Amino acid sequence: NDASPMENHHVAASLTLMARPDIDLAAPLLRQDKEQLRRLVIELVLGTDMKQHLAITSRFATLHNVTSAGQQQQDGQGAGPETPASAGSHSKAVSKTLPADDAERLLALQMALKCADLGHIAEAPDTHKRWVAALEEEFFAQGDREKAAGLPVSPLFD
């Protein structure tokens, strides 16, 4: 499978570990809950593929009506600080942002994982540079493996 090879490997390795009796975190779950967890893990990890980044972030921005400036629009106005007059509508505004269904819940979790995955950008410059160096090393190693296997090298992996 050439689609998301690194992410598919991570999913397979994670699910293999999760199935070990000494590590099986899902052991207490019902079978249907285990299957749902498995699907969720797969979707979340595959969502970390940067080829999916724009599609996921665009769906999130559209769903939450996020402008390019990063402000969330509510009823045509930017979200501002809560005032005493708007305090009573707080629960109403919160309920508008809760996921409406499983697809929206998955999207929210994918965005949370993206923030965790890319959060090093907000760190101090030295910390960020260490993370970037490690990421580049991982990408270049994958490019080398692709080249050695006679596969086309993924963009930015050479």
Side-chain angles (χ1 to χ4, degrees):
N1 167 350
D2 293 336
S4 306
M6 183 171 54
E7 291 78 8
N8 274 299
H9 166 72
H10 292 159
V11 166
S14 298
L15 294 175
T16 299
L17 279 174
M18 288 172 62
R20 283 181 33 188
D22 59 324
I23 300 177
D24 189 2
L25 301 174
L29 299 177
L30 299 173
R31 181 179 177 170
Q32 69 184 37
D33 293 334
K34 285 182 183 183
E35 291 170 3
Q36 184 178 8
L37 176 62
R38 182 182 183 279
R39 285 191 303 273
L40 182 61
V41 167
I42 292 168
E43 290 294 332
L44 288 174
V45 174
L46 291 180
T48 64
D49 185 344
M50 287 306 289
K51 291 177 186 172
Q52 304 296 324
H53 181 76
L54 185 59
I56 291 169
T57 56
S58 294
R59 278 197 319 266
F60 186 83
T62 300
L63 180 66
H64 294 284
N65 197 20
V66 176
T67 67
S68 60
Q71 276 191 318
Q72 184 172 354
Q73 299 293 311
Q74 294 178 352
D75 301 327
Q77 297 178 358
E82 187 174 294
T83 63
S86 66
S89 65
H90 180 69
S91 61
K92 183 178 176 185
V94 170
S95 68
K96 285 183 182 180
T97 61
L98 292 177
D101 56 25
D102 287 344
E104 285 188 19
R105 274 187 282 284
L106 173 61
L107 182 59
L109 289 170
Q110 286 174 319
M111 286 299 295
L113 190 56
K114 282 194 166 302
C115 290
D117 191 29
L118 301 173
H120 62 86
I121 294 168
E123 291 287 346
D126 288 344
T127 303
H128 170 65
K129 288 176 186 176
R130 280 196 321 268
W131 278 102
V132 168
L135 184 61
E136 287 176 338
E137 186 177 318
E138 180 181 343
F139 282 4
F140 295 154
Q142 179 178 331
D144 293 345
R145 288 190 303 274
E146 290 171 346
K147 193 180 294 183
L151 297 170
V153 177
S154 298
L156 305 177
F157 284 27
D158 58 356

